[in-house]
Amino acid sequence: MLFPTMSFFLFFLVVFGVSWRLRPYPHSWKLFMLAVSYLFYGWWDWRFCFLLAGSTVGNIVAAHRVAAAATDKGRKRALIAGVVFNLVLLGFFKYYGFFVESLVSALEPVGLAPTTLLVEIALPVGISFFTFCALSYVIDVYRGDFEVAAPIDVAVYLSFFPHLVAGPIVRAREFLPQLARVPDPNALDATRAVHLIARGLFKKVVIANFLAQSIVDPVFASPNSFDSWDLFVGAYAYAVQIYADFSGYTDIAIGTALLLGIKFPENFDRPYIAATIQDFWRRWHMTLSRWLRDYLYIPLGGNRNGRRAEYRNLMITMALGGLWHGARWTFVIWGVYHGAGLIAEHWAQSRRDRPLEVRSPKVEALREQLGLRTSHGDVPVVTLPDGQPANAALAPDAQPAKPVLPEEAETQATSPPPPRRSNPWLGRLVTFNFVVVGWILFRSESFTDAWDYLRRLFTAWGSSGEVTWLIVATIAASLAAQFLPKKVGLMLEWRASHLPPIVQGIGFGVFLVALDILGPQGVAPFIYFQF
């Protein structure tokens, strides 16, 4: 981790106190926040502070050139230069080794492998996150959604330590306007902030690390050494672990920023209760999903140019979203896997929503032969001698039908039928298991490992004895908690906020002691630090 846990708490206590002392003086506060953010980032490797500074300067220049260009062509050129600058930085530090190793593997059989290009490059923590933030700033300036900000504001935005290394991906228009006003310390929602931090710590230290050490790391390190039951539980355990780990960090980041007077957008909304894959991506890593939608999927054309174009754009977006997660082919295929799932879901939805009258010529001809082509749909109508429809005679006590006005008849004829509702619990079950299979790809180091895991999952019947009742109970309780209504948490926060401050402080202290007792020895880095 960038900071050991206790060191971070001491660091934050100092930052919190000084920050609120400087809040009435915006320029001094920004300089202080810039300094402590670079200290935080440089704790791991101070040399990468130059990378962060270079990215900041480059994007400040790019945004100013976009805004200053006199013509649309000049603005577009400045935008392209800014995007290329960011992608080159990200590509070199994160993907250079990946693409060179892939090239060497492809050319090695014919003796043309360029092995001299193989250079080991350290991956800067959080480069994907601050690069996406920078891209959103430059693109929003180009689109006219946001004006050029002061250099010091942009520097604070890109380096602000709560979201610097693992998100959420906060956009410039969500962050920078908050620097223009001085928050009232009396209006600080400290109870919510502490609740978020406590919840995040519990998710990470107790749930995520327990599952990682007890089942996930062993089964994924050597799937051939375990039987189906262990692998089955291990896959579900990883689904819980990655959620607890990443949403736990997000909770801590949002709570930490809130204590400093800055509000971040939510990043998770109980993703495992999603009834569709599309709904899952509305709930999982929401800031990334919205970023990919607004800056990749929609610019590619979205769903504006027909179904094939829509499916193509979905696949490109999800494949690149997978690659964003890491320089490994398993991440790319994981993205393709979700892209294929979204395409299948969109296709099935279009089939369900298609009006019954839209049929092929062969079907229409068959209906004609069977005498089913009537103005009353598929029900043949026989007219009685007195002009009354035969099916009306089946209900002799029925009241005369209400006359339909011409405009009402036209509306009824053209309005699509209501969509057929599917069972939400069946949808949740299918979606969750679809996601879990994808997590096996995501977690595996190679296709061979993923294949071994999936193969033994369905062939190596039995158990190696690694699964305990505590592991199963932790998984079950974590998944069940997803179904708790949001109002439960809000009610607890409201009640806690009305307790005396001394009681709240003692309660948080007791919680930290319990956390130390329940948590396993040693806390692994957050999973998304590597992205």
Side-chain angles (χ1 to χ4, degrees):
M1 299 179 71
L2 295 183
F3 268 94
T5 305
M6 187 53 65
S7 298
F8 175 77
F9 277 114
L10 295 175
F11 163 81
F12 183 72
L13 283 175
V14 174
V15 171
F16 176 77
V18 177
S19 172
W20 283 104
R21 292 284 291 181
L22 294 176
R23 255 316 195 171
Y25 314 99
H27 189 71
S28 299
W29 181 87
K30 293 172 187 177
L31 290 175
F32 171 73
M33 199 54 60
L34 191 62
V36 296
S37 294
Y38 272 80
L39 172 64
F40 175 85
Y41 192 64
W43 194 268
W44 172 61
D45 190 333
W46 61 270
R47 293 172 296 180
F48 285 120
C49 288
F50 294 104
L51 172 65
L52 178 59
S55 174
T56 301
V57 172
N59 282 284
I60 289 172
V61 172
H64 274 275
R65 289 193 172 182
V66 167
T71 63
D72 289 341
K73 191 173 183 179
R75 294 175 68 249
K76 184 172 291 188
R77 284 179 177 175
L79 170 68
I80 292 172
V83 171
V84 169
F85 169 76
N86 282 286
L87 294 181
V88 167
L89 282 182
L90 182 63
F92 177 75
F93 283 98
K94 187 167 183 175
Y95 300 109
Y96 176 83
F98 166 67
F99 286 118
V100 170
E101 288 175 7
S102 299
L103 182 63
V104 169
S105 299
L107 297 179
E108 195 170 20
V110 294
L112 297 176
T115 54
T116 55
L117 296 178
L118 289 172
V119 179
E120 187 173 349
I121 300 173
L123 176 64
V125 173
I127 187 171
S128 296
F129 289 95
F130 68 72
T131 299
F132 269 31
C133 288
L135 281 168
S136 71
Y137 169 61
V138 175
I139 295 172
D140 283 352
V141 170
Y142 170 78
R143 291 175 174 176
D145 296 336
F146 197 78
E147 296 182 356
V148 173
I152 184 66
D153 289 1
V154 178
V156 172
Y157 162 58
L158 293 180
S159 66
F160 191 57
F161 72 89
H163 78 103
L164 174 60
V165 296
I169 301 174
V170 186
R171 302 191 193 183
R173 60 174 178 261
E174 296 169 331
F175 183 93
L176 290 173
Q178 298 187 64
L179 300 183
R181 53 182 181 266
V182 178
D184 180 5
N186 296 318
L188 180 65
D189 195 353
T191 301
R192 173 163 175 75
V194 171
H195 172 259
L196 285 167
I197 293 172
R199 187 176 71 183
L201 287 171
F202 183 83
K203 287 179 182 178
K204 170 60 180 173
V205 176
V206 177
I207 298 176
N209 282 289
F210 167 68
L211 292 176
Q213 294 182 15
S214 59
I215 186 68
V216 174
D217 290 347
V219 298
F220 277 96
S222 181
N224 287 317
S225 303
F226 295 90
D227 294 328
S228 294
W229 173 243
D230 308 286
L231 298 174
F232 175 80
V233 174
Y236 279 82
Y238 182 66
V240 173
Q241 181 209 347
I242 192 170
Y243 168 75
D245 192 287
F246 191 21
S247 70
Y249 176 87
T250 299
D251 288 343
I252 296 170
I254 295 174
T256 301
L258 192 57
L259 286 175
L260 297 174
I262 299 293
K263 293 182 179 180
F264 284 172
E266 295 292 331
N267 208 26
F268 290 90
D269 181 16
R270 302 173 297 163
Y272 292 148
I273 69 170
T276 63
I277 304 168
Q278 187 176 8
D279 188 31
F280 171 79
W281 282 104
R282 291 194 189 106
R283 297 171 176 272
W284 176 272
H285 203 350
M286 296 187 291
T287 56
L288 173 64
S289 298
R290 290 194 293 264
W291 197 100
L292 291 173
R293 179 198 66 195
D294 295 344
Y295 298 108
L296 186 57
Y297 176 69
I298 292 177
L300 284 172
N303 59 357
R304 297 191 299 271
N305 299 313
R307 191 174 299 169
R308 288 186 179 180
E310 178 188 4
Y311 295 165
R312 178 201 64 205
N313 297 335
L314 275 173
M315 183 59 73
I316 292 173
T317 300
M318 296 309 298
L320 291 177
L323 183 62
W324 175 87
H325 281 83
R328 206 165 63 209
W329 283 112
T330 50
F331 288 128
V332 178
I333 300 304
W334 172 76
V336 170
Y337 170 80
H338 271 274
L342 286 170
I343 290 171
E345 201 170 77
H346 277 66
W347 178 83
Q349 183 66 40
S350 68
R351 299 284 294 182
R352 284 196 298 269
D353 293 345
R354 188 172 62 172
L356 294 177
E357 288 77 9
V358 180
R359 297 183 174 94
S360 67
K362 291 183 179 180
V363 174
E364 289 295 326
L366 179 61
R367 293 175 68 236
E368 179 77 34
Q369 294 174 10
L370 296 176
L372 298 178
R373 289 198 58 144
T374 70
S375 61
H376 296 266
D378 288 345
V379 182
V381 177
V382 179
T383 303
L384 297 178
D386 59 358
Q388 185 184 35
N391 46 351
L394 298 177
D397 298 330
Q399 297 295 322
K402 179 183 176 181
V404 179
L405 298 176
E407 58 269 20
E408 293 178 350
E410 182 180 357
T411 302
Q412 293 176 7
T414 57
S415 60
R420 286 172 279 181
R421 295 181 178 274
S422 57
N423 187 327
W425 287 101
L426 178 61
R428 290 183 179 120
L429 182 64
V430 172
T431 300
F432 177 66
N433 284 281
F434 175 89
V435 170
V436 169
V437 172
W439 286 139
I440 295 175
L441 269 171
F442 188 92
R443 178 61 175 78
S444 299
E445 295 292 328
S446 65
F447 290 125
T448 302
D449 290 343
W451 170 248
D452 288 343
Y453 199 108
L454 291 168
R455 176 178 55 82
R456 289 189 62 82
L457 185 63
F458 295 102
T459 59
W461 306 112
S463 173
S464 306
E466 293 292 322
V467 178
T468 66
W469 68 267
L470 185 57
I471 293 174
V472 175
T474 301
I475 295 171
S478 300
L479 293 177
Q482 300 260 308
F483 292 90
L484 287 175
K486 283 186 176 181
K487 62 182 180 181
V488 173
L490 295 175
M491 180 62 69
L492 291 174
E493 286 181 16
W494 183 84
R495 290 185 179 276
S497 66
H498 286 72
L499 295 173
I502 185 66
V503 176
Q504 295 186 42
I506 293 173
F508 188 66
V510 171
F511 169 79
L512 291 179
V513 173
L515 202 68
D516 184 61
I517 296 172
L518 294 173
Q521 293 295 320
V523 179
F526 287 96
I527 292 174
Y528 267 66
F529 275 13
Q530 63 183 300
F531 305 142

